[in-house]
Amino acid sequence: MAGFRALAEQVRNPRLVTVRRRTALRKCLERFAPYGHRATWHHLCTRAGFAIQDRDPDPARLVAALTELEEARALWLSYEEEFAARRRREKHDGIRQPGALDEWHRRTWGGYDIVPCASPQRHPAARLSEVLHRMIAAMEAGRPRRDCPICGCTRFAWVPGPDGYPGTGPACRDCGVLAPTAVLAPETLHTAAGQPLANAFAAA
């Protein structure tokens, strides 16, 4: 099975037909998809300017989408290295009890559903790397907040689902991100829990 870098090379390979290059980009999302597969694909297509069902998009647009994905992946890999180094230092110092940041990192290991979205069609408009940077900063700050760590909106609705599943929790009504419960203030969580997500906003 090809890794992310090998697939990225296929996306950039001008000798391959466009259909294969598009398929390679889709497969990249099996290795790294910050919003989840469908929402990340919708985001990349929207920002690069080609339709999600377009089988023969402009190769330059495919490369633009890949470039944004690679940029976000590089940021995430750097964060994972820093996280691992911090945990080694903590264990050396006798700090064994994992905290909220550790639990969030465990659920996002491998770069999938780092910032899950309530709907594949509803996600932040900013570049993936900027969204990841904002979420990482909010988690590392360790201070519960009343607003969305991505867009600053203060309106949330609760997405029901199996306990602990990435698609469960308080969803920002503006950008669609499901924020980790650890990053939001208790009163914000309480308000969100009393407002179930409307069907029109649920995942298609």
Side-chain angles (χ1 to χ4, degrees):
M1 181 181 292
F4 185 95
R5 291 182 180 178
L7 290 167
E9 290 177 1
Q10 292 179 29
V11 177
R12 287 196 168 91
N13 189 346
R15 294 188 297 275
L16 296 179
V17 296
T18 305
V19 173
R20 282 194 59 188
R21 296 171 71 175
R22 177 187 181 277
T23 298
L25 179 61
R26 286 298 298 263
K27 288 185 176 179
C28 282
L29 302 187
E30 296 173 7
R31 280 73 175 171
F32 181 72
Y35 297 158
H37 192 284
R38 293 174 63 196
T40 303
W41 178 248
H42 190 278
H43 169 88
L44 292 175
C45 292
T46 300
R47 283 189 54 88
F50 61 93
I52 60 174
Q53 299 298 338
D54 188 352
R55 299 290 178 179
D56 191 29
D58 181 350
R61 296 184 185 276
L62 290 175
V63 173
L66 173 65
T67 298
E68 178 172 349
L69 188 65
E70 287 179 318
E71 180 182 69
R73 181 172 178 267
L75 184 149
W76 182 249
L77 291 177
S78 176
Y79 164 72
E80 288 196 327
E81 289 179 3
E82 294 173 2
F83 178 89
R86 179 182 65 80
R87 285 299 294 143
R88 285 194 294 270
R89 291 193 301 269
E90 290 178 345
K91 289 180 179 179
H92 180 268
D93 294 338
I95 303 174
R96 299 284 176 173
Q97 186 65 33
L101 181 62
D102 303 270
E103 176 63 17
W104 175 70
H105 186 265
R106 181 186 66 79
R107 293 187 181 188
T108 59
W109 182 259
Y112 203 84
D113 278 324
I114 302 169
V115 187
C117 297
S119 165
Q121 290 79 38
R122 189 86 170 254
H123 42 72
R127 290 182 71 82
L128 285 172
S129 58
E130 178 59 29
V131 172
L132 292 185
H133 175 74
R134 293 175 189 174
M135 183 60 79
I136 291 170
M139 291 302 299
E140 291 187 330
R143 294 188 299 272
R145 51 197 292 161
R146 293 182 175 86
D147 62 339
C148 173
I150 305 304
C151 70
C153 176
T154 57
R155 299 179 303 117
F156 293 87
W158 196 267
V159 179
D163 189 35
Y165 183 72
T168 302
C172 174
R173 287 185 176 272
D174 188 9
C175 70
V177 161
L178 282 112
T181 55
V183 83
L184 296 179
E187 57 269 30
T188 301
L189 292 172
H190 178 75
T191 301
Q195 301 180 41
L197 200 64
N199 291 333
F201 188 42

